[in-house]
């Protein structure tokens, strides 16, 4: 019988990895294909994408007609901006006359956008009043910008999010001249003319590079016999069809970390956590909340943009980070890695090849401190000590993990430095891990505070080849439980293969009505369909920010081939065991608070007179959908749910010194768990009514209200 195969390709800085996933079981087929990322190829990274894809097909005996989905992440957008490989941008600002025109002319007039390493996006500016936004005047403006040096264009009009006709006129004239163009209103529907224009300019600057890569990759995949649409990973954790990427390539920024997070969410049964994507040189740290990765706007060249991507912190503290030391012991860890220095890890060195080594100190790169450690053998060969070596020396890394190395080699190497510093192997190894921990802990605490996570309810999620080198020690120090998914070293490729289509619509709407929200939901649904999702698969989550009046609608859906369930259904006892383990209680202590055809809700014992209790919502596949430390749960019907909502709104309120903290709500509606938070009850009702309105009056609804601990 012909298989249905999903292909996922992750483009990393060093390697490009492709995996094949069985669409029916979500299990990996055969072995992943790993090739060097082809930065220097005339086709750029596209060559490596195709090479890894074809190798994976051939080595695992997969026929092209078995492939039902193919997607890849890309470093191109991020690298282009970091390396300054960008096109000069011409901006055409537009507005009505009078005060609006005076302000818009200033707000659309961008300065050059500074990038890293003294690189910048060169900007040229022109302005047209709306009465001159006809083909003839637009063509003159374009010719002027081209003469100045612009290779790509941006059309940005004051209030263009409400009426984009003049922006479309510019785009049509530019298309006839074969000039890549970005309409600012295509990138975001938020107000803020300068920020919107700048975001569009960043997008436009990478269009030539991204279009070349997209066309090369697409044609090569087609030549391999695969007919399904080619999907591209977005930086916010979804995928989009390649034709959408050609318009909005900037959305692919940070698609690599996004891929690893999505792979983890698919494999791990936790809804709240801090994830560590640990490579050889850097570690990306971010948040999973309510089963979704935390998203924020990216900052480019010191300027905020409207580019939504994973909210990550990047640390030069990873599996391959080398150590710095002196006679007193370990001075620091990283940011230089063994890869940068061209040295092997002690952990992956044959102990027989470690012969009479001595300590030498050096600078990996010009300008670096000169106290990085390398060990030089009697024959002149050299290697180094890393975080991975220290974790292995302490016995923290077990054989199932990718970063598991030779403990004898690690201890033998560290002994040399220990002798130099007059101490023990365990002391030096612990010093190394403590230095690594000291860099990670403040980032962890900052993210916990920013996203209001309950420390006793979260878990650590380790992904990437170096995960076990850092996460195990962090867990040991903090007491926070951790998970490292199977196949962690290729989890990004798996995440790409199994990702959903995602799109976002944002609007500023003071005092929104139900019709406003419904319209924005439908717009998000339509955008997700344009990006490759089937209409009946799309689910839309709506958030309202009361401080800014911003409505955000996040649409997710699957492509033409529906993905099957990952695991077999769990029964009551299995769900109880899962919930109890996560709450760190004995199964006998877990109380079945409520259940539906799709979910189990288990609670831990009550404390004192508090009517609330720790709660876990577990779906029938064994995935924990909600983890809260203090919650109340009630089953009701669609007809009566509002009374339950109002009562729990008051009962679960926490009265603080200067305000009232109202609860978050989770509604189990059929097979969906939807989360809602609001600062006033009318807003909460507005959001929940949109979802409950589609149910029959007698349909059951489980309402869970959760709030912070009163203590």
């Amino acid at each position: 019988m012909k298989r249905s195969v999903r292909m996922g390709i992750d483009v990393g800085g060093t390697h490009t990895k492709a995996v094949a996933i069985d669409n029916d079981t979500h299990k990996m087929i055969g072995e992943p294909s790993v090739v060097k990322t082809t930065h220097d190829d005339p086709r750029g990274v596209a060559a490596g994408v195709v090479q890894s894809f074809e190798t994976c097909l051939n080595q695992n005996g997969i026929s092209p007609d078995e492939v039902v989905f193919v997607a890849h992440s890309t470093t191109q957008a991020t690298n282009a901006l970091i390396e300054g490989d960008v096109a000069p941008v011409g901006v055409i600002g537009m507005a009505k006359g009078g005060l609006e025109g005076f302000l818009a002319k200033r707000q659309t007039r961008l300065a050059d956008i500074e990038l890293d390493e003294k690189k910048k996006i060169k900007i040229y500016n022109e302005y047209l009043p709306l009465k001159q936004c006809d083909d003839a005047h637009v063509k003159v403006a374009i010719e002027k910008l081209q003469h100045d040096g612009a290779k790509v264009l941006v059309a940005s009009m004051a209030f263009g999010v409400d009426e984009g006709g003049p922006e479309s006129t510019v785009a049509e004239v530019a298309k006839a001249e074969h000039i890549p163009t970005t309409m600012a209103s295509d990138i975001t529907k938020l107000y803020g003319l300068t920020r919107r224009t700048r975001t569009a300019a960043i997008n436009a600057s990478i269009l030539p590079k991204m279009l070349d890569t997209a066309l090369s990759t697409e044609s090569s995949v087609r030549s391999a016999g695969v007919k399904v649409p080619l999907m591209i990973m977005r930086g916010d954790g979804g995928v989009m069809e390649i034709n959408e990427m050609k318009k909005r390539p900037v959305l692919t920024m940070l698609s690599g970390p996004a891929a690893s997070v999505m792979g983890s969410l698919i494999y791990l049964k936790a809804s709240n956590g801090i994830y560590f994507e640990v490579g050889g040189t850097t570690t990306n740290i971010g948040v999973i909340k309510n089963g979704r990765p935390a998203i924020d706007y990216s900052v480019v060249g010191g300027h905020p943009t409207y580019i939504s991507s994973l909210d990550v912190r990047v640390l030069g503290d990873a599996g391959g980070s080398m150590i710095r030391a002196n006679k007193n012991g370990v001075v620091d860890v990283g940011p230089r890695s063994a890869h940068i220095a061209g040295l092997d890890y002690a952990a992956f060195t044959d102990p027989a090849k470690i012969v009479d080594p001595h300590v030498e100190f050096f600078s990996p790169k010009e300008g670096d401190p000169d106290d990085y450690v390398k060990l030089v053998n009697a024959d002149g060969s050299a290697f180094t000590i890393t975080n991975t070596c220290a974790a292995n020396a302490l016995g923290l890394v077990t054989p199932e993990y990718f970063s598991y190395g030779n403990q004898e080699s690690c201890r033998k190497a560290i002994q040399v430095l220990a002798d130099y510093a007059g101490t023990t192997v365990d002391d030096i190894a612990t010093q190394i891990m403590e230095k690594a921990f000291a860099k990670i802990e403040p980032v962890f605490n900052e993210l916990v505070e920013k996203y209001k996570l309950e420390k006793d309810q979260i878990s650590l999620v380790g992904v990437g080849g170096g995960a076990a080198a850092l996460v195990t020690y962090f867990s040991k120090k903090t007491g926070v439980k951790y998970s490292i998914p199977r196949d962690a070293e290729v989890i990004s490729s798996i995440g790409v293969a199994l990702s959903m289509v995602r799109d976002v619509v944002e609007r500023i709407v003071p005092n929104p009505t139900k019709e406003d929200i419904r319209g924005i939901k439908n717009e998000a649904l339509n955008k997700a369909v344009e990006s490759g999702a089937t209409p009946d698969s799309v689910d839309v989550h709506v958030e309202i920010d009361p401080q800014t009046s911003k409505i955000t609608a996040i649409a997710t859906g699957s492509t033409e081939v529906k993905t099957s369930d990952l695991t077999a259904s769990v029964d009551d006892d299995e769900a109880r065991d899962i919930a109890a383990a996560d709450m760190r209680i004995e199964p006998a202590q877990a109380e079945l608070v409520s259940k539906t055809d799709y979910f189990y809700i288990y609670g831990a014992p009550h404390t004192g007179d508090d009517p609330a209790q720790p709660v876990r919502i577990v779906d029938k596949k064994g995935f924990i959908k909600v983890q809260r430390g203090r919650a109340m749960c009630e089953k009701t019907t669609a007809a009566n749910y509002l009374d339950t909502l109002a009562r729990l709104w008051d009962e679960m309120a926490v009265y603080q010194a200067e305000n009232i903290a109202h609860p978050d709500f989770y509604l189990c509606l059929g097979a969906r768990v939807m989360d809602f938070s609001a600062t006033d009850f009318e807003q909460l009702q507005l959001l929940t009514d949109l979802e409950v309105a589609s149910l029959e009056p007698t349909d059951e609804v489980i309402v869970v209200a959760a709030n912070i601990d009163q203590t």
Side-chain angles (χ1 to χ4, degrees):
M1 185 177 69
K2 189 171 78 170
R3 295 170 295 186
S4 293
V5 179
R6 302 177 71 88
M7 301 287 297
I9 306 156
D10 177 58
V11 183
T14 305
H15 291 103
T16 297
K17 302 175 182 178
V19 299
I21 302 290
D22 188 301
N23 190 63
D24 296 322
T25 65
H26 284 192
K27 292 183 178 178
M28 199 157 64
I29 298 170
E31 295 297 319
S33 164
V34 182
V35 303
K36 286 281 188 182
T37 299
T38 52
H39 295 292
D40 299 325
D41 190 279
R43 292 178 294 162
V45 299
V49 169
V50 174
Q51 184 183 345
S52 64
F53 171 75
E54 292 180 334
T55 301
C56 193
L57 289 182
N58 295 333
Q59 72 185 19
N60 295 307
I62 299 168
S63 170
D65 64 357
E66 292 180 307
V67 177
V68 296
F69 178 94
V70 57
H72 74 85
S73 71
T74 176
T75 58
Q76 287 290 86
T78 304
N79 289 349
L81 292 170
I82 290 174
E83 296 164 8
D85 189 6
V86 291
V89 180
V91 176
I92 298 180
M94 295 165 284
K96 296 177 181 177
L99 179 61
E100 179 183 311
F102 173 75
L103 294 174
K105 188 173 183 178
R106 296 175 60 187
Q107 291 170 349
T108 59
R109 188 173 187 83
L110 300 182
D112 294 345
I113 300 172
E114 300 293 329
L115 303 173
D116 291 345
E117 301 297 329
K118 299 181 180 178
K119 305 287 198 316
K120 62 185 177 183
I121 301 173
K122 186 66 182 171
I123 306 290
Y124 302 98
N125 296 278
E126 282 291 308
Y127 175 79
L128 290 174
L130 285 190
K131 62 185 179 182
Q132 292 183 13
C133 287
D134 54 66
D135 288 7
H137 283 93
V138 167
K139 189 170 182 179
V140 170
I142 290 174
E143 288 173 349
K144 172 69 166 56
L145 289 168
Q146 284 185 295
H147 180 267
D148 290 341
K151 302 297 183 186
V152 294
L153 296 176
V154 164
S156 184
M157 186 183 82
F159 302 103
V161 296
D162 300 321
E163 168 50 59
E167 291 187 4
S168 297
T169 298
V170 173
E172 287 299 317
V173 175
K175 183 179 180 181
E177 301 294 326
H178 307 289
I179 305 170
T181 302
T182 295
M183 294 190 295
S185 59
D186 261 359
I187 299 297
T188 178
K189 299 297 185 183
L190 292 178
Y191 296 118
L193 184 56
T194 299
R195 189 169 174 180
R196 189 167 71 248
T197 306
R198 184 187 301 117
T199 305
I202 294 167
N203 185 80
S205 76
I206 60 175
L207 274 173
K209 179 89 170 178
M210 298 298 287
L211 286 171
D212 285 347
T213 300
L215 293 170
S216 177
T217 307
E218 186 177 32
S219 63
S220 298
V221 169
R222 292 286 168 268
S223 68
V226 175
K227 307 300 183 190
V228 295
L230 178 62
M231 311 296 286
I232 311 295
M233 194 80 194
R234 293 164 51 119
D236 59 10
V239 292
M240 58 182 174
E241 207 268 331
I242 195 166
N243 287 324
E244 282 299 302
M245 190 277 274
K246 292 173 185 176
K247 292 190 292 186
R248 299 181 287 166
V250 76
L251 297 182
T252 66
M253 284 178 58
L254 291 178
S255 69
S260 65
V261 175
M262 301 316 294
S264 300
L265 288 174
I266 290 160
Y267 272 169
L268 296 175
K269 300 177 179 180
S271 60
N272 294 288
I274 303 288
Y275 64 82
F276 293 69
E277 187 200 23
V278 187
T281 303
T282 59
T283 295
N284 296 306
I285 304 176
V287 168
I288 296 167
K289 186 172 184 180
N290 297 330
R292 293 186 292 273
I295 305 295
D296 205 347
Y297 295 125
S298 296
V299 175
V300 177
H303 299 292
T305 72
Y306 283 132
I307 304 163
S308 292
S309 60
L310 263 68
D311 185 11
V312 298
R313 308 293 183 272
V314 182
L315 296 180
D317 180 13
S321 296
M322 296 186 295
I323 65 170
R324 296 167 53 202
N326 58 27
K327 274 288 188 183
N328 297 316
V330 179
V331 173
D332 200 0
V333 172
R336 294 301 188 193
S337 67
H339 171 71
I340 294 296
L343 295 171
D344 291 332
Y345 300 18
F348 307 126
T349 300
D350 186 338
K353 294 183 179 180
I354 301 177
V355 181
D356 296 330
H358 64 273
V359 174
E360 286 190 8
F361 298 100
F362 74 113
S363 300
K365 296 287 184 182
E366 186 177 350
D368 287 345
D370 60 3
D371 56 358
Y372 279 91
V373 172
K374 68 177 173 182
L375 301 177
V376 182
N377 287 311
D379 64 1
S381 60
F383 58 101
T384 193
I385 299 169
T386 66
N387 283 331
T388 297
C389 305
N392 275 280
L394 293 172
L396 298 174
V397 187
T398 48
E400 68 268 26
Y401 297 132
F402 188 76
S403 52
Y404 179 71
N406 189 303
Q407 188 179 39
E408 179 187 350
S409 294
C410 295
R411 295 188 69 84
K412 193 172 180 180
I414 294 173
Q415 182 69 63
V416 180
L417 182 59
D419 290 344
Y420 178 83
T423 185
T424 65
V425 170
D426 284 351
D427 181 43
I428 290 292
T430 301
Q431 286 184 42
I432 294 169
M433 299 313 298
E434 279 294 309
K435 293 293 184 184
F437 175 81
K439 291 186 174 184
I440 294 170
E441 185 185 29
V443 175
F444 173 86
N445 290 335
E446 186 241 320
L447 289 172
V448 166
E449 174 63 26
K450 178 177 180 178
Y451 290 99
K452 307 301 180 189
L453 301 175
E454 299 170 272
K455 277 192 176 181
D456 60 343
Q457 304 301 308
I458 64 176
S459 61
L460 306 176
V461 177
V463 296
L470 294 183
V471 172
T472 50
Y473 190 82
F474 193 91
S475 174
K476 180 181 176 182
K477 284 279 292 186
T478 60
V480 180
K481 60 185 181 292
Y482 74 91
S483 300
I484 298 176
R486 66 182 187 271
D487 304 315
E489 69 280 5
V490 290
I491 200 70
S492 293
S493 301
I494 293 169
V496 175
L498 297 176
S499 284
M500 304 280 278
V501 174
R502 188 182 197 275
D503 223 311
V504 179
V505 169
E506 297 173 306
R507 287 280 193 284
I508 303 296
V509 184
N511 304 313
T513 65
K514 189 179 294 187
E515 288 68 34
D516 291 328
I517 296 175
R518 184 176 288 113
I520 292 169
K521 281 188 67 175
N522 287 336
E523 186 177 348
L525 186 154
N526 290 334
K527 286 177 74 72
V529 172
E530 287 177 13
S531 292
T534 54
D536 60 342
S537 73
V538 177
D539 184 50
V540 184
H541 172 75
V542 177
E543 300 170 352
I544 299 178
D545 185 335
Q547 293 183 323
T548 62
S549 298
K550 184 178 75 172
I551 303 174
T552 303
I554 305 167
T556 54
S558 63
T559 51
E560 188 67 34
V561 176
K562 307 298 188 297
T563 58
S564 64
D565 294 320
L566 180 60
T567 59
S569 295
V570 297
D571 60 24
D572 292 44
D573 291 337
E574 290 169 323
R576 183 191 303 273
D577 289 344
I578 291 167
D582 197 64
M583 292 188 287
R584 299 190 177 187
I585 60 176
E586 293 298 319
Q589 296 177 284
E591 169 196 1
L592 182 62
V593 178
S594 189
K595 66 182 289 188
T596 71
D597 290 341
Y598 302 96
F599 301 103
Y600 303 96
I601 295 88
Y602 281 96
H606 293 268
T607 302
D609 297 329
D610 192 349
Q613 63 190 132
V615 159
R616 300 293 185 268
I617 300 179
V618 183
D619 71 13
K620 289 299 177 80
K621 301 302 173 186
F623 280 75
I624 299 173
K625 307 300 287 187
V626 173
Q627 301 159 293
R628 293 304 298 255
R630 182 174 181 271
M632 293 179 68
C633 171
E634 186 170 325
K635 183 184 283 189
T636 181
T637 62
N640 300 318
Y641 96 96
L642 207 54
D643 293 337
T644 302
L645 214 64
R647 186 172 65 258
L648 292 177
W649 174 266
D650 291 329
E651 289 182 22
M652 285 295 291
V654 174
Y655 293 86
Q656 300 170 327
E658 298 180 358
N659 59 18
I660 302 174
H662 287 289
D664 302 320
F665 283 89
Y666 304 88
L667 269 59
C668 297
L669 307 172
R672 298 178 299 161
V673 176
M674 307 201 71
D675 57 285
F676 305 91
S677 60
T679 54
D680 61 73
F681 190 77
E682 290 73 21
Q683 187 183 91
L684 178 69
Q685 181 180 347
L686 190 67
L687 290 172
T688 55
D689 273 355
L690 281 170
E691 305 301 334
V692 179
S694 61
L695 303 179
E696 295 297 323
T698 56
D699 286 348
E700 64 183 13
V701 175
I702 292 182
V703 178
V704 175
N707 213 334
I708 57 174
D709 196 324
Q710 293 186 72
T711 59

